[in-house]
Each structure stands twice: as structure tokens, then as C-alpha cells.
Amino acid sequence: MKKLYIVLMTAVIFSLTGCGIFRKYTDTTEIPDNLYGDSELAVQTAGGRSYGDLSWRELFTDPCLQAVIDSALSRNTTLAAAESVAEQAEVMLKSAKLGYLPVISLNPSIYITPDQGYTVPVSGSWGVDGFGSITNRKREAQANAQKAQDNMLAARSSIVAMAARAYYQLQLLDREMEIVTTTEGIWGKVLDTQIALMENGRAYSTSVNQMKASLYNVTLQKLEIANMIKDAEAAICLILRQTPQHIERSAWDAYRMPQSVSVDIPATMLEKRPDVRAAGRNLEAAYYVTNQARSAMLPSLTLSGLVGWGTNGAPISNPADMVYNAIASLAQPIFNQGKLRANLKVSKLQQQVAADAYVQTVISAGNDVNAALRSCELVKEKESIYRQQIVALDDAYSATQTLMSNGKATYIEVLTAQEALLNAQLGEVANIFKGRNGLIDLYVSLGGGVE
């Protein structure tokens, strides 16, 4: 009879495993085609390296920038918090793996009666994973641990990008300060020329005052930029978790694009993005939570036992024979106020939410790539135009200044030429700055910055 019971129990367990409770998660989510948008921007390549394959040291070769990023990665509190969450998830995974082991406890007791005695029992219970609850908890914990690791890598990539953007912003302000300072000196000389012409009766005080006003405007720009430089340094210090101080940086012209690396996008490049992987892990964890809800509706098999020594009136120094017992119990939930079915339904709905979030993350990643590519392409198209515009305006300004000295051009023409040249120079460096930011965006959108 006992053997028949065991055989029947084994048959029930294995028959229920066919319902998919033990089945591992496989990704069957449908992802839209053409994630990168226009085909001319998303050129796929069979080989070669894309920006997402580079370590951040390969992309950002400026030693000063590397020092900033190194400090940010070692000191930033956001990244430290993400690393702590990843470590916590690993601890929970180790705990879940121990779920297959029995629970053992020692409960010694001494009782005083006319016949004194004692017991030293060791009790234990073992929940047999015949219906997948322990296995699915372990797999859920494993998916959550991997998700936490991916989130940590995403935080790392974000810190690298944030530090690089802040550093380039500081370099941009330095370059703008150089342009405005040079302009201030040139305009000061023009003003001196105009004052000399006025003293010789060849110009009016109106033109002198107007040029003074323009020069004062440039001086005000210098003061504003100087303050913005301090703000930019403070922003970097905040990333580095340190008090406001001077930030060492290279000259604007020291920047070099990486060589022999294209912006071509391999078809599977989005798989490198940690946020996409984390969304996938979240869906995987939700799948195992649903399996646990299914398991809760099936019987639970527990093996429990007691082993130990005891006395009953005999001296404590003479333990009695070993006593033991073992019990196998099978508990089938029948009625639990509808909670089990409700939990299963909620788990299925949450799994669908996780699936929708995963698809949305992938689509957003594709949009990020598309936007970054467009930004880089636009900067490249504007670059040569700005260069030609500056050459033309510089020639026009020089010619207008010469004509004014000879009395053949008005101060209004000179002021117009001065301001147009200054705006074009500032526009050029702003365009280069956008290009650098576009490259950072492309790098991050392709999964870079995690190494």
C-alpha cells in the first residue's frame, strides 16, 4: 500500500509538469520592423565595428576627459546606488538557490516532573519542488539579478555620457570666450580708428557712440560667458561628488574623432543596450511570477521528520534510544477566498504590461538611433557651410573696414559686418558642439559606455 501511494504521488507530480510550469522562458515578443527609420540612415553592415562596440576610452581619447569620466565612475552616487541594487539582487538569487534545501532546527528542552527528563530533538521539513514553485522562484530571482546588472550598466553608460556632455559644454564656453575676447580686441581697434576719424572731422560722434555700445555688448557677453564657465565647472563637480573647483580641460581644437569607425548599424546592435536587455529581463521575471501563481493552485508536497534523543526518568548522562518519526503530507488548496485565481489573473496582466513595456523600450531605442544619426548628418551638412560663411564674412568685414577708413562706407555697414562675423563664428562652434553631443547620443543609443 505504501509503495502504491508513492507511485501514485510520483505519477501525479510528473503529469502536472506538462502544463508548462517548469518550462524555461523563451522570448516570443513581436518587434516591429524598420526600427531605425529611414533606410538611408540605417545602413546595415555584415562586419566592422560600430560606435557601440567601442569602449569609452577608445571614443573619448582626451586625457582630461578620461580623468573626468574615471572620477565620475568611481565617485558618482547614482552609479553606486545601482551597483548596490545589483549586489542585493545577487544576494536574493543565492537565497533562492538554497530553496531546494530542507529547513532544519534544533529545539532542546528540559522538563521537571516527578520523573525528570529531557529531549534533544532535531526537526526538519523539506518542501519538494514537484509543482515548480521553488524552481520558478529561483528563475525569477536570476532574471531580476540579471536585470539589476543591466540597470547598473545603463547607469554607467549614462554617467559616461553625462560627464562627456558636461566636459564638452565647458570646452564650448572656453572657445566662445576666446572668440568674444578676440572680437573685443579687434572692435576696440576699430573704435580707436573711428575716434581718430572723428577728431579729424571725418566721422561723427554718433558713429563713435554706436561702436562703443557694440563694444560694451561684447564685454557683457564676456562676463556672462565667464559666469557660465563657473556654472559648468560646478555642474561637473556635482557629477564627481566634489565641491566646486577648477576643472582641467584640453583646448577646443584638441578633440579628435575616432578613426576607421563608421556609423553603420548592425541589425542586432540594439541587443547591446542595457536598458533593452533589462526590459527583456523584466518580462522574463514576470513570466516566472505567473508560473508561481499557477504553482500555488496545485498541491504542495512536504516531507517532515524528527530525530533526536530523550530521557524519561533516567539520568541525563544516559540518553535513551534514538527516537524519530517522518511524515509526508500533500496539501491541495481548495478554497482561499478567490485569492489564488485573482493572483494568477493579476500575474498574467502584469506579464502583458511587461511585454508591452519591452516592445516600447525597443521602439524607443530605435528612435534614439534614428535621431542621433539625423543629428550627426545635419551637423556634417552644416559644417562646410559655416566654414564658407565665415570666410566670406571675414573678407566682407575687412573690406568694409578699409572702405570706412577711406570714407567710402558708413559705420553702420562696419557694425553689421562685425556682428555677422561674430554670430557666424559662434554658430560654427555651437554646430561642432551639437556634433559632439550627437556622437555621444549615437554611442549611447547603440549600447556604448558599458565598458
Side-chain angles (χ1 to χ4, degrees), residues 385-398 421 424:
I385 297 175
Y386 269 116
R387 193 177 300 114
Q388 296 174 42
Q389 183 186 36
I390 290 174
V391 170
L393 288 174
D394 188 52
D395 292 342
Y397 170 66
S398 299
L421 177 59

Side-chain angles (χ1 to χ4, degrees), residues 38-258:
D38 298 340
S39 58
E40 63 269 17
L41 293 178
V43 180
Q44 295 183 0
T45 177
R49 299 182 74 196
S50 183
Y51 283 118
D53 295 319
L54 299 176
S55 70
W56 63 263
R57 291 185 183 278
E58 292 179 281
L59 185 65
F60 306 118
T61 56
D62 183 342
C64 292
L65 175 54
Q66 288 184 351
V68 168
I69 294 176
D70 266 328
S71 182
L73 292 177
S74 63
R75 298 171 62 88
N76 187 267
T77 53
T78 301
L79 181 57
E83 290 173 345
S84 176
V85 172
E87 291 178 4
Q88 294 173 42
E90 286 293 334
V91 172
M92 296 303 296
L93 174 58
K94 291 179 180 178
S95 175
K97 288 180 178 178
L98 297 177
Y100 294 103
L101 300 179
V103 177
I104 299 175
S105 58
L106 176 64
N107 301 298
S109 63
I110 298 175
Y111 54 91
I112 300 175
T113 63
D115 296 324
Q116 294 184 357
Y118 75 93
T119 59
V120 186
V122 178
S123 61
S125 64
W126 182 26
V128 181
D129 194 34
F131 305 103
S133 58
I134 299 176
T135 297
N136 283 294
R137 278 198 298 271
K138 185 201 73 171
R139 290 174 178 173
E140 179 203 357
Q142 188 171 17
N144 285 330
Q146 292 169 332
K147 180 181 71 174
Q149 183 70 18
D150 289 330
N151 285 334
M152 185 270 290
L153 293 177
R156 178 184 175 88
S157 177
S158 177
I159 294 300
V160 169
M162 187 187 306
R165 289 191 183 98
Y167 180 85
Y168 288 145
Q169 176 72 39
L170 188 56
Q171 281 191 321
L172 168 67
L173 293 170
D174 285 343
R175 178 56 182 155
E176 288 181 344
M177 178 64 81
E178 291 176 4
I179 293 173
V180 172
T181 300
T182 301
T183 300
E184 183 184 42
I186 295 174
W187 287 19
K189 293 179 180 179
V190 174
L191 177 60
D192 291 340
T193 301
Q194 192 70 3
I195 291 174
L197 291 173
M198 182 186 68
E199 292 174 349
N200 293 328
R202 298 173 58 188
Y204 298 100
S205 60
T206 303
S207 63
V208 172
N209 290 333
Q210 187 65 45
M211 288 189 171
K212 282 183 179 180
S214 297
L215 186 58
Y216 293 151
N217 184 57
V218 172
T219 304
L220 290 173
Q221 287 186 55
K222 277 185 60 178
L223 294 174
E224 188 66 30
I225 293 173
N227 185 64
M228 292 171 68
I229 288 174
K230 294 296 183 183
D231 288 341
E233 288 181 321
I236 293 178
C237 291
L238 187 61
I239 297 173
L240 305 183
R241 201 177 64 179
Q242 62 187 28
T243 57
Q245 55 192 271
H246 175 73
I247 300 296
E248 292 294 332
R249 62 264 195 188
S250 303
W252 172 263
D253 296 333
Y255 174 80
R256 294 292 181 271
M257 289 280 288

Side-chain angles (χ1 to χ4, degrees), residues 288-298 340 343-345 347:
Y288 291 125
V289 169
T290 301
N291 276 356
Q292 291 177 58
R294 289 193 179 98
S295 299
M297 301 180 68
L298 299 176
L340 297 179
N343 287 341
L344 178 58
K345 186 174 182 179
S347 298

Side-chain angles (χ1 to χ4, degrees), residues 175-434:
R175 178 56 182 155
E176 288 181 344
M177 178 64 81
E178 291 176 4
I179 293 173
V180 172
T181 300
T182 301
T183 300
E184 183 184 42
I186 295 174
W187 287 19
K189 293 179 180 179
V190 174
L191 177 60
D192 291 340
T193 301
Q194 192 70 3
I195 291 174
L197 291 173
M198 182 186 68
E199 292 174 349
N200 293 328
R202 298 173 58 188
Y204 298 100
S205 60
T206 303
S207 63
V208 172
N209 290 333
Q210 187 65 45
M211 288 189 171
K212 282 183 179 180
S214 297
L215 186 58
Y216 293 151
N217 184 57
V218 172
T219 304
L220 290 173
Q221 287 186 55
K222 277 185 60 178
L223 294 174
E224 188 66 30
I225 293 173
N227 185 64
M228 292 171 68
I229 288 174
K230 294 296 183 183
D231 288 341
E233 288 181 321
I236 293 178
C237 291
L238 187 61
I239 297 173
L240 305 183
R241 201 177 64 179
Q242 62 187 28
T243 57
Q245 55 192 271
H246 175 73
I247 300 296
E248 292 294 332
R249 62 264 195 188
S250 303
W252 172 263
D253 296 333
Y255 174 80
R256 294 292 181 271
M257 289 280 288
Q259 299 298 318
S260 67
V261 179
S262 69
V263 295
D264 294 344
I265 306 172
T268 59
M269 181 55 69
L270 290 185
E271 295 177 1
K272 290 178 61 66
R273 284 185 55 146
D275 60 333
V276 172
R277 292 202 306 267
R281 299 299 185 188
N282 189 57
L283 175 56
E284 181 180 354
Y287 170 84
Y288 291 125
V289 169
T290 301
N291 276 356
Q292 291 177 58
R294 289 193 179 98
S295 299
M297 301 180 68
L298 299 176
S300 60
L301 178 62
T302 303
L303 303 178
S304 60
L306 175 68
V307 61
W309 293 266
T311 67
N312 188 14
I316 293 178
S317 60
N318 298 317
D321 295 335
M322 181 180 291
V323 296
Y324 64 90
N325 64 67
I327 301 174
S329 62
L330 181 66
Q332 167 66 53
I334 297 176
F335 180 70
N336 195 16
Q337 301 175 329
K339 292 180 180 180
L340 297 179
R341 290 188 178 277
N343 287 341
L344 178 58
K345 186 174 182 179
V346 169
S347 298
K348 289 181 178 180
L349 291 173
Q350 291 176 341
Q351 184 178 344
Q352 184 58 50
V353 169
D356 294 339
Y358 173 64
V359 173
Q360 185 62 44
T361 301
V362 175
I363 293 175
S364 297
N367 286 342
D368 290 344
V369 173
N370 183 275
L373 283 170
R374 288 186 180 277
S375 177
C376 291
E377 290 295 323
L378 181 60
V379 168
K380 287 170 60 179
E381 292 173 2
K382 286 184 174 181
E383 187 176 358
S384 60
I385 297 175
Y386 269 116
R387 193 177 300 114
Q388 296 174 42
Q389 183 186 36
I390 290 174
V391 170
L393 288 174
D394 188 52
D395 292 342
Y397 170 66
S398 299
T400 304
Q401 186 178 352
T402 301
L403 290 173
M404 187 189 69
S405 300
N406 296 327
K408 295 182 179 181
T410 65
Y411 71 93
I412 295 296
E413 293 173 305
V414 174
L415 290 175
T416 301
Q418 287 176 338
E419 293 174 355
L421 177 59
L422 175 61
N423 290 334
Q425 290 172 328
L426 295 177
E428 182 190 32
V429 296
N431 183 65
I432 296 174
F433 173 69
K434 289 180 181 179

